[in-house]
Amino acid sequence: PRHQIRSYVFDVVRSIVPTLTLDELFLSKRVIATNVEKKLVSVMLDYGYEITTTFVTEVRPDDVVVRSMNEMNISKKLKEAMLYKAEAEKIRVVKGAEAHSETLYLSGIGTAGEYKALAKGMQETVKNYSVSSGKNPKDIMDLLLVTQYLDMLVAVSSPNTDKHGDSMIINCDPGHVLKLRQSVGRLSHSIAVAPSKIPDFLS
């Protein structure tokens, strides 16, 4: 009867195993054992044998299949690792770009505030000096612009700001001050005509 039992067991196994994937096969030992038990109980009872229970103790694929499974698992883990690494790099780049954008925005606000304070200070200086000296505000503004222009030339030519030993050649014709005053005048006029075009952080 041993050969008969083995034959029936093989029949059941051959009917079930081809319908399962390898992963499902390792998880279906109880299902296989139950089907084998049902088959043997109904058949072997006619021969006077009572089958109480059956067990599938081990699923042992061919060595080639085992190696293939290991390679597939390794490839899967490598793929997941690459995806995680790419996602981390994406987050790093995005956050870096956001931080850079925020830095530029705050720097722009700070610069705008600095220019606003400078313009306000110059305006108060012109007003106060004009009242105390009786000078024309236009002449006082020209003097301030000349002073600022000369300070700029000194700052540009300072060795402390020239780290690489480069030289800068600037046309220092005093007539540029007049052009600068005219540009400031046009800007002031355009702001007075269309104040809605002033950015929020300058208003």
Side-chain angles (χ1 to χ4, degrees):
R2 180 177 297 178
H3 295 292
Q4 249 181 328
I5 293 175
R6 178 179 296 176
S7 176
Y8 286 125
V9 170
F10 285 170
D11 287 343
V12 175
V13 170
R14 280 193 292 265
S15 66
I16 297 177
V17 171
T19 64
L20 303 173
T21 64
L22 196 56
D23 291 334
E24 292 172 345
L25 179 60
F26 281 97
L27 300 174
S28 303
K29 292 191 290 184
R30 183 65 258 175
V31 175
I32 297 172
T34 301
N35 281 272
V36 170
E37 181 180 334
K38 290 179 181 178
K39 181 69 174 180
L40 293 179
V41 167
S42 62
V43 172
M44 298 307 294
L45 191 59
D46 296 336
Y47 296 95
Y49 291 93
E50 182 180 356
I51 306 298
T52 58
T53 187
T54 58
F55 295 98
V56 177
T57 58
E58 184 180 5
V59 177
R60 189 183 300 168
D62 188 83
D63 291 340
V64 176
V65 177
V66 173
R67 286 196 297 270
S68 299
M69 285 184 60
N70 291 335
E71 291 177 359
M72 289 174 59
N73 288 330
I74 291 173
S75 298
K76 183 179 179 180
K77 296 300 181 183
L78 288 175
K79 182 179 179 180
E80 291 176 355
M82 292 177 65
L83 289 175
Y84 286 132
K85 183 178 179 180
E87 188 67 22
E89 180 66 17
K90 174 185 175 182
I91 293 174
R92 187 188 68 81
V93 172
V94 170
K95 292 301 181 182
E98 290 177 354
H100 181 64
S101 176
E102 184 70 13
T103 300
L104 293 179
Y105 174 74
L106 295 177
S107 177
I109 292 179
T111 302
E114 181 182 352
Y115 288 161
K116 181 179 179 181
L118 178 63
K120 184 177 180 180
M122 291 182 67
Q123 181 181 15
E124 292 178 354
T125 300
V126 171
K127 180 180 179 181
N128 294 336
Y129 192 72
S130 175
V131 172
S132 62
S133 65
K135 298 289 185 181
N136 188 344
K138 173 182 172 299
D139 296 335
I140 298 174
M141 179 60 71
D142 289 342
L143 178 61
L144 287 175
L145 289 175
V146 170
T147 303
Q148 292 291 324
Y149 185 75
L150 294 176
D151 288 343
M152 180 273 296
L153 294 178
V154 172
V156 169
S157 61
S158 174
N160 295 329
T161 60
D162 188 12
K163 298 180 181 179
H164 302 289
D166 298 331
S167 298
M168 181 178 293
I169 299 176
I170 300 177
N171 186 352
C172 59
D173 183 1
H176 287 291
V177 178
L178 176 61
K179 295 178 181 179
L180 179 60
R181 186 186 64 78
Q182 292 173 346
S183 298
V184 173
R186 286 194 298 269
L187 178 60
S188 301
H189 176 71
S190 63
I191 292 176
V193 172
S196 60
K197 295 184 181 181
I198 305 176
D200 293 337
F201 54 81
L202 282 177
S203 59

